[in-house]
Amino acid sequence: MKNQLIYLDNNATTRVHPEVAAAMLPYVTGECYGNPSASYGFGKKARAAVEQARQQVAYLLAVDAKEIVFTSCGTESNYTAIESALRCYPERRHVVISAGEHSAVENLCLDLERRAYRVTRLGLDGEGLVDLAELESVVNSDDTALVSLIWANNETGVLSPIEDAANIVKNKGVLFHSDAVQAVGKVPLSLADSAVSMLSLSGHKLHAAKGVGVLYVNGRVRFEPILLGGGQENGRRSGTENVAGIVGLGKAAEILRYVLKDEHHQQQMSEMRDRFERTLLDRMPDTLVNGHREKRLPNTSNLCFAGVDAEGLLILLDNAGLCCSPGSACSTGSVKPSRVLTAMGMSAARARSSVRFSLSMFTTEQELDRAVDLIEQAVSKLKIVLPVSGGPVIRHT
Ligand SMILES: Cc1ncc(COP(=O)(O)O)c(C=O)c1O
């Protein structure tokens, strides 16, 4: 047990489910390598597998299979949704996002600003939530092409009020996209009768393989393809389909549909996470939880270890075989505090002392118990050897 890897970074990527791997195998090893666009039987076999996966994903989201477009990843889905909206409404030069978006959306929006678009970023409160009154006040039917809000934040797990936001935006005649890469497969989510126009998800975040994603496009909204070529995906995304990846994603969607139906599973995951947090907070009273305690994913725990440098902590934990993520990003040699945590009003010191732990359906109580011991040992060591400067850390909630 001591040297076994403990993987608590499931918001970064997940282990491929064994049933997913088994479903993909014939499309990887060579039994079924036909091109799904080919007209002969061998190609049609691959086509049938892609269409079955489309149906499986559609069932998970409670939408029509025709509304599912396979892409290469969550980043491509987000990019396509935003760029498509701008092409559909060329006279509109305004986009609304939140200060808590993933860099896949934030960096595209920085590029839009360089291209003379106007971007409004909704603020976050201390718990990571957007204000719907602010959303209502900034969306302008004449000029806003799209509102894009993250469903569940990748760092804190905080859940946005997506349905309410989508209704506000729809009533103004504006398209609404959600980056649901962290939400799909972790919380039940139905788009039946929803005001959401487009939604992104990514295979590798939900126990499918890397290199496959989905953009849901509501059948009633305008859409312009970004990748042009052979006209695959009904003309909405050209490029030969990643058949093995798509088949795996379909299988993962099928598995998760059953898992998410089981309320016990949901409860079990949040109970495990809560017990992990409680034990750490009891043993180290300087520990703080970042983000709303209830309105968040059941698998995510973003913790600040006051007075501890998270980068140093991560190195010690990595050496001990525990994988987790920092609340900061290293760029050009300097450690930048997390954009999301600072948007929530946290000091740079608090953000630099924060670490994200994220569980999956494969995480066990034993692993979490062991993780708590390793974290406690590493934090105590760092407090003695490397106390951080940067002022006191403010205690929120
Ligand atoms: C919220 C969110 N959106 C988008 C992405 C990008 O997804 P992908 O890695 O599939 O491009 C991620 C990945 O971390 C994410 O967490």
Side-chain angles (χ1 to χ4, degrees), residues 11-12 73-75 78 102 104 150 152 154 179 181-182 202 204-205:
N11 287 7
C73 59
T75 302
N78 287 339
H102 185 268
I150 192 163
N154 46 299
D179 172 354
V181 163
Q182 293 292 346
S202 174
H204 75 104
K205 307 288 186 179

Side-chain angles (χ1 to χ4, degrees), residues 1 6 8 272 275-277 279-280 283 322 363-377:
M1 183 73 192
I6 303 175
L8 296 183
M272 272 170 73
R275 194 172 75 85
F276 166 76
E277 268 181 3
T279 318
L280 284 170
R283 292 208 207 161
L322 172 57
T363 308
T364 66
E365 296 276 8
Q366 290 78 3
E367 285 177 319
L368 290 178
D369 289 343
R370 175 89 189 119
V372 167
D373 290 340
L374 294 174
I375 296 163
E376 190 186 16
Q377 284 161 21

